Amino acid sequence: MAALALSPLAANAAEPAATATITASDMQFTALTSANAAQFGYEIRVDAQGYEYGVPIGTPAGSHEHATGQLRQSGGVSTFNEVVGNCGKSNLWFRGQGQYSTSYYIYPSWGAPISHGWSVQIGSAWDAGAYDLSGWNAGNQSWNAYRTVTQIAPHGGVLSANGGGYVVTTGGVCQSGALHDSIIYN
C-alpha cells in the first residue's frame, strides 16, 4: 500500500524517532455453534457417533481438512455464549515508526489453533491503511506477524494502530479484545 505524501518535505524527511508501548489483551473463549459458525467461516457437521465438529464452509462431504475436534460444551455460558475466563493472550505494538507486530498465544487446554481472522488498521491525520492477516495455522499455539507500514504522520503527530480478531481452535473460537498502540513522531 503506497503512502500518501502531502508534501515533498514529508516524503523526503529522515525517519523521525518514535516511542512505542506494548499493549496486550486477554482472549475469551466462545463455543463454536451452528448459530455462530458462519461468522468465523465454518459450518457445523455431525459425525457417525453424533458428535458435532466444525469444518470450513464448502468443505466436501467426508473431508476433515481444517476441521475442529469434537466441539467443547461449556457449563458457564452467558447469554452471549461466552465462557468466563481466558483462553489466550494477544498483543499489538509498533516496532519503531516503520513496522508493527501483532501476535496471539492460545492456552493448550482450549485446543490447537486451525485458522484465524486477524486485521490491523493504521491511521494518522494524513494517512490510513488496513492489513488483513487472516489465514491458516498449522496447530501452533502461538502466531505472530510483522509488517512494514507505509503510512506516515506529521512531525509531532500520532500514528495509531488498532487490531485483533479471532482464532478457530479444535475446541471452539478464541476472540481477542480490542488491541491498540500509537507512536508520536518526534
Side-chain angles (χ1 to χ4, degrees):
M1 185 173 290
L4 175 63
L6 298 179
S7 158
L9 295 175
N12 296 322
E15 187 171 299
T19 57
T21 57
I22 297 175
T23 58
S25 173
D26 292 334
M27 297 183 73
Q28 299 294 320
F29 180 78
T30 301
L32 191 63
T33 66
S34 56
N36 70 6
Q39 79 183 59
F40 302 110
Y42 275 69
E43 62 184 87
I44 303 303
R45 295 188 180 165
V46 179
D47 68 13
Q49 290 78 36
Y51 293 110
E52 290 186 329
Y53 65 98
V55 294
I57 293 172
T59 299
S63 172
H64 286 83
E65 185 173 6
H66 302 295
T68 67
Q70 178 183 348
L71 295 178
R72 177 180 286 235
Q73 301 300 312
S74 58
V77 176
S78 74
T79 57
F80 296 107
N81 207 26
E82 181 178 280
V83 176
V84 177
N86 299 329
C87 57
K89 295 279 184 188
S90 58
N91 57 50
L92 169 67
W93 71 93
F94 276 105
R95 301 167 52 94
Q97 174 201 338
Q99 192 176 63
Y100 71 84
S101 177
T102 185
S103 65
Y104 62 75
Y105 175 78
I106 305 300
Y107 300 133
S109 60
W110 294 98
I114 300 170
S115 65
H116 55 260
W118 210 265
S119 65
V120 174
Q121 298 78 41
I122 307 290
S124 75
W126 283 359
D127 212 352
Y131 299 82
D132 181 4
L133 306 168
S134 303
W136 299 110
N137 182 316
N140 298 310
Q141 296 306 126
S142 62
W143 167 87
N144 64 4
Y146 306 93
R147 294 292 185 270
T148 299
V149 299
T150 58
Q151 289 74 31
I152 58 174
H155 179 75
V158 176
L159 187 63
S160 295
N162 296 293
Y166 63 88
V167 180
V168 177
T169 74
T170 54
V173 179
C174 196
Q175 296 181 313
S176 172
L179 300 172
H180 175 79
D181 195 16
S182 61
I183 56 175
I184 304 292
Y185 281 64
N186 298 321

